[in-house]
Amino acid sequence: MGFVQDLLVFLHLLGMAMLVAMFFLQLRAGAGANLSVGWLHGAGLQLVTGLALQLLAPLTDADYNHVKLGIKLLVLIAIGVIATVYVVRKVPPPRWVPFTLFGLVVLNVGLAVFWN
């Protein structure tokens, strides 16, 4: 079970890296560029792997802070909703959208690291 848990953590971190990379790609593309679908892929990967880790907790004797995970889930849902709105519309997002998404990603990472 240890390998499965390590694999899920690895994929979860890759999802976070995808979200950070999407921010830098969005900046490189310029202000008039459409929002990349990679935002949704990264958020989806984080959601699936995070829920899988949570569901495996009883099998691995892991003890998680459920309030922390609930707040992290809300932040991830906010990322997904904002990204979905502008990816589905296929219109260039306002200038604040990539910075807001990146801020939410940093908030989620901060919650994961500093809330013990």
Side-chain angles (χ1 to χ4, degrees), residues 47-71:
L47 178 66
V48 169
T49 56
L51 289 175
L53 283 166
Q54 178 69 20
L55 293 174
L56 285 178
L59 300 176
T60 59
D61 295 327
D63 185 30
Y64 293 120
N65 183 342
H66 298 290
V67 175
K68 171 183 159 180
L69 293 176
I71 292 172

Side-chain angles (χ1 to χ4, degrees), residues 1-76:
M1 192 54 66
F3 174 75
V4 173
Q5 187 176 13
D6 290 344
L7 179 64
L8 288 171
V9 169
F10 175 75
L11 291 172
H12 194 69
L13 292 174
L14 280 180
M16 182 267 306
M18 282 179 66
L19 293 173
V20 171
M22 287 301 107
F23 172 69
F24 289 114
L25 287 173
Q26 194 71 36
L27 287 183
R28 186 171 183 223
N34 289 342
L35 208 59
S36 172
V37 72
W39 285 103
L40 297 177
H41 293 166
L45 183 59
Q46 286 238 292
L47 178 66
V48 169
T49 56
L51 289 175
L53 283 166
Q54 178 69 20
L55 293 174
L56 285 178
L59 300 176
T60 59
D61 295 327
D63 185 30
Y64 293 120
N65 183 342
H66 298 290
V67 175
K68 171 183 159 180
L69 293 176
I71 292 172
K72 285 178 56 63
L73 179 62
L74 289 176
V75 172
L76 186 60

Side-chain angles (χ1 to χ4, degrees), residues 90-107:
K90 296 186 182 191
V91 297
R95 184 88 174 125
W96 59 267
V97 169
F99 294 101
T100 302
L101 290 172
F102 183 66
L104 290 169
V105 170
V106 170
L107 173 65

